[in-house]
């Protein structure tokens, strides 16, 4: 069943609709469609947002992981937000996530959003020539990966906020999010409780963010995500023929996703794509993971980034 949802917090200025783009057994993998309140019928750009969470947690409907500075960007450009969930590890693996990503894009390209809106008697059309794929952390990974794997012209511009261009790994810390860091045993305790046939897509950050920490801090991320060059943008890039104009923002003190991964990706993109590439890295000094969540357009760096996005996405 599909339903209309009242949007809380940062989603207050949107009418929010929920549907699904695929079903596994009886499990529906959701996609949210956010329509700015008062938007006039007609053709509108698409802000395609993938949620973060290390591919372990997160959901499209969690407003605190939709950065504050992106809201006016969406409204100013009269865009429609489309935000899918996807399967998560350790219940699933990277190949499952890639399968979901491909299935979502097929559903999107074949009019899944428009069909759902028409079922609610809404006369909105998507401008498929103006699709901005965006995401933070794991969401940035999916946005960039989409740019490298979807047909030319599917995505016009990419925004990656501290994206995972390679597998998740981090230094062990005494504390994590204000609490003692979880032990490695939390991984096996969780895995041992997974029932056969479980389908997990979209989950609140807590307590699964502690599992994400453990997988990356104790070197066990690839044990569940899997390995293979097809899974990560940094390995796909050398054979890439194109990548839509891409801007990456990253704090140089990021403890979850190293800024060195973004630096390496941008350097390699320049070498591989040459004049065909337009990949920009905005480094934020002294900032950690998620630094932009409460940022506003009053900050100079935000204005610089949004102007770049609008030129590449809309103009």
């Amino acid at each position: 069943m599909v339903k209309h949802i009242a949007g809380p917090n940062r989603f207050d200025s949107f009418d929010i609709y929920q549907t699904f783009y695929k079903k596994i057994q009886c499990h529906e993998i959701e996609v949210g469609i956010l329509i700015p309140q008062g938007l006039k019928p007609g053709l509108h750009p698409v802000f395609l947002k993938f949620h973060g969470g290390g591919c372990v947690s997160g959901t499209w409907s969690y407003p605190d992981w939709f950065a504050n500075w992106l809201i006016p960007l969406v409204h100013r450009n009269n865009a429609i937000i489309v935000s899918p969930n996807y399967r998560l590890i350790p219940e699933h693996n990277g190949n499952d996530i890639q399968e979901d990503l491909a299935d979502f894009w097929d559903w999107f390209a074949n009019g899944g959003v428009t069909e759902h809106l028409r079922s609610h008697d809404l006369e909105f059309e998507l401008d498929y020539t103006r699709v901005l794929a965006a995401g933070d952390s794991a969401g940035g990974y999916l946005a960039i990966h989409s740019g490298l794997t979807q047909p030319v012209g599917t995505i016009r511009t990419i925004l990656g906020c501290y994206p995972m261009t390679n597998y998740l790994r981090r230094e062990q810390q005494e504390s994590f999010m204000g609490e003692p860091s979880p032990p490695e045993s939390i991984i096996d305790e969780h895995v041992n409780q997974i029932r056969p046939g479980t389908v997990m897509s979209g989950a609140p950050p807590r307590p699964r963010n502690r599992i994400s920490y453990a997988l990356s801090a104790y070197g066990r991320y690839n044990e569940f995500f899997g390995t293979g060059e097809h899974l990560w943008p940094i390995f796909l890039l050398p054979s890439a023929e194109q990548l839509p104009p891409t801007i990456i923002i990253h704090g140089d003190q990021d403890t979850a996703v190293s800024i060195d991964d973004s630096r390496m990706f941008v350097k390699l993109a320049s070498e591989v794509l040459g004049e065909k590439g337009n990949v920009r890295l905005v480094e934020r000094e002294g900032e950690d993971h998620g630094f932009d969540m409460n940022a506003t357009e009053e900050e100079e760096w935000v204005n610089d980034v949004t102007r770049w996005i609008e030129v590449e996405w809309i103009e």
Side-chain angles (χ1 to χ4, degrees):
M1 177 181 293
V2 296
K3 56 186 178 181
H4 181 275
I5 305 171
N9 303 319
R10 288 175 184 166
F11 294 164
D12 274 344
S13 58
F14 297 90
D15 291 324
I16 305 178
Y17 298 85
Q18 173 186 307
T19 184
F20 62 94
Y21 66 92
K22 68 183 291 185
K23 183 183 288 189
I24 301 175
Q25 302 170 27
C26 295
H27 182 95
E28 298 173 349
I29 302 186
E30 297 177 0
V31 55
I33 305 169
L34 289 72
I35 310 291
Q37 292 176 358
L39 188 68
K40 296 180 180 179
L43 190 66
H44 297 279
V46 181
F47 189 102
L48 210 155
K49 172 66 162 60
F50 296 100
H51 72 76
C55 294
V56 180
S57 67
T59 176
W60 72 266
S61 59
Y62 186 62
D64 289 353
W65 280 3
F66 200 109
N68 185 63
W69 63 278
L70 296 175
I71 302 298
L73 175 67
V74 171
H75 279 283
R76 185 168 57 250
N77 291 286
N78 296 312
I80 292 174
I81 299 172
V82 180
S83 187
N85 281 347
Y86 46 90
R87 281 176 285 179
L88 303 170
I89 67 170
E91 289 81 1
H92 308 284
N93 58 43
N95 286 326
D96 295 329
I97 294 170
Q98 289 301 316
E99 180 182 281
D100 291 346
L101 187 63
D103 288 342
F104 164 75
W105 280 109
D106 285 345
W107 175 85
F108 176 80
N110 289 318
V113 175
T114 302
E115 181 180 347
H116 181 70
L117 294 178
R118 287 176 177 169
S119 74
H120 289 272
D121 296 323
L122 298 173
E123 298 180 357
F124 298 112
E125 299 290 338
L126 304 185
D127 186 347
Y128 288 98
T129 70
R130 289 184 171 89
V131 175
L132 168 64
D136 49 286
S137 195
Y141 153 60
L142 293 171
I144 293 174
H145 201 285
S146 296
L148 289 167
T149 56
Q150 289 300 303
V152 174
T154 302
I155 298 169
R156 182 159 179 171
T157 314
I158 296 172
L159 165 64
C161 302
Y162 28 91
M164 293 163 48
T165 54
N166 202 347
Y167 73 94
L168 199 60
R169 60 210 184 279
R170 66 189 300 161
E171 297 292 329
Q172 296 180 27
Q173 301 169 283
E174 291 186 2
S175 62
F176 173 68
M177 301 189 72
E179 301 176 356
S181 295
E184 183 178 356
S185 59
I186 192 176
I187 300 171
D188 295 316
E189 290 170 1
H190 178 83
V191 170
N192 290 338
Q193 294 175 359
I194 298 174
R195 296 180 179 180
T198 295
V199 181
M200 173 63 68
S201 69
R206 297 177 64 90
R208 291 180 68 95
N209 54 7
R210 294 174 62 79
I211 299 170
S212 179
Y213 168 88
L215 290 172
S216 58
Y218 299 111
R220 298 184 63 183
Y221 193 84
N222 284 348
E223 177 183 338
F224 297 94
F225 194 92
T227 58
E229 294 187 354
H230 66 290
L231 292 175
W232 295 106
I234 195 69
F235 299 114
L236 290 177
L237 193 51
S239 60
E241 296 182 0
Q242 63 89 37
L243 178 67
T246 299
I247 189 165
I248 294 173
I249 64 171
H250 211 138
D252 67 359
Q253 298 300 309
D254 197 317
T255 55
V257 178
S258 173
I259 193 173
D260 288 337
D261 284 357
S262 287
R263 289 168 176 164
M264 183 180 299
F265 182 84
V266 172
K267 180 176 183 294
L268 185 58
S270 177
E271 294 172 354
V272 170
L273 300 173
E275 295 181 356
K276 295 181 180 179
N278 182 2
V279 182
R280 178 183 174 192
L281 173 61
V282 176
E283 298 192 18
R284 296 293 298 152
E285 184 177 355
E287 299 286 12
D288 201 349
H289 205 67
F291 71 91
D292 67 316
M293 285 296 154
N294 293 317
T296 70
E297 289 195 319
E298 295 177 357
E299 299 179 50
E300 184 177 350
W301 76 266
V302 174
N303 270 315
D304 180 54
V305 169
T306 55
R307 179 56 184 161
W308 187 96
I309 290 171
E310 288 174 319
V311 168
E312 299 296 340
W313 176 32
I314 301 296
E315 296 183 5

